[in-house]
Amino acid sequence: MRVARTKGEVREAVAVARREGRRVGLVPTMGYLHEGHLSLLDRAKKSADWVGLSIFVNPLQFGPAEDLDRYPRDLERDLEQAAGQGVDLVFAPSVSEMYPAGPPRVAVVPEVGADVLCGARRPGHFRGVLTVVAKLLGIFAPDVAVFGRKDYQQVVLIRRMVEDLDLPVEVVTAPIVREADGVAMSSRNVYLSPDERVRARSISGALRAVKDGFRAGERDPNVLRGVLVDGLGASGLRLEYAELLAPDSLEVAETVEEGSVCAVAAMIGQTRLIDNAVLTLSAEAEAP
Ligand code: AMP
């Protein structure tokens, strides 16, 4: 496995892979890898025979009062995990490699859909995400890029960017990977105290209750939203949003149907956690 610090090294390695006739896959991350990230690498390997992993804590997507400085980092451990996963190249650039002129003169700004859900609480966040993803797509020029459905709004906006800017890449998404107790894996879980970690279970528990309600035939979004809010109620979380959304969109669902998504963001102490569940009758439904 190769470790690249510069865009030039990535381009060179990708050019070699291309000459060998390989299909190139990319998994963008901010590192501090967990099994959620590893599942994306597995998914990438199914659609590509050369897989790049980027590890970059992107300052552009953090607000001034957010956790950029304390975001967990452990490159050595990440490299071990990536090697174990059969990654071909890890791109771990510095901030100045990615933004040599400081803040970019040109950014990718979502025209719609960035002022709701997470975007409402994190102004500029999706501008930062789309800009860095566009740059990574430019650097790797992959055939396929894989993203987790845990970041539901992010995936919707990335798909729109690829479609609206005619970027030549296939976007693939992968389901949420959870801890044994249902909590969605996240690099930020490391911030949680033992007590907060227990209380975090109420998020996946509440999503589970909504799924159960849906499977029992409930289709009224207000009733299902009530189930969600009740499930979160006793755990002392500060709810940012709890919404039922139409499938593959950021629109609040007027009627709940197969494929509707239930999305939650909440603060536990100083830690912001997000999670979601696709409502489906199919047995292969994603956890929770
Ligand atoms: P991050 O490092 O948090 O920016 O995440 C990098 C990628 O991993 C994104 O596409 C996330 O949606 C995805 N991801 C994060 N957590 C999970 C999880 N628990 N299950 C599946 N994918 C995840």
Side-chain angles (χ1 to χ4, degrees), residues 124-140:
H125 171 67
F126 289 111
R127 166 185 180 270
V129 169
L130 294 188
T131 301
V132 81
V133 170
K135 285 169 70 70
L136 291 166
L137 294 175
I139 295 163
F140 280 82

Side-chain angles (χ1 to χ4, degrees), residues 27-37 39-40 56 61 71 146-152 154-155 158 174-178 183-188:
V27 176
T29 76
M30 298 204 297
Y32 209 69
L33 300 182
H34 51 66
E35 281 172 45
H37 297 119
S39 77
L40 304 187
F56 180 60
Q61 70 190 65
Y71 194 85
V146 184
F147 300 89
R149 290 203 281 271
K150 165 147 184 298
D151 297 84
Y152 176 76
Q154 172 171 295
V155 163
I158 287 171
I176 299 173
V177 176
R178 297 176 179 282
V183 172
M185 292 203 179
S186 164
S187 306
R188 288 190 168 99

Side-chain angles (χ1 to χ4, degrees), residues 12-22:
E12 243 170 59
V14 170
V16 171
R18 291 247 176 252
R19 278 201 294 278
E20 291 168 353
R22 301 211 212 193

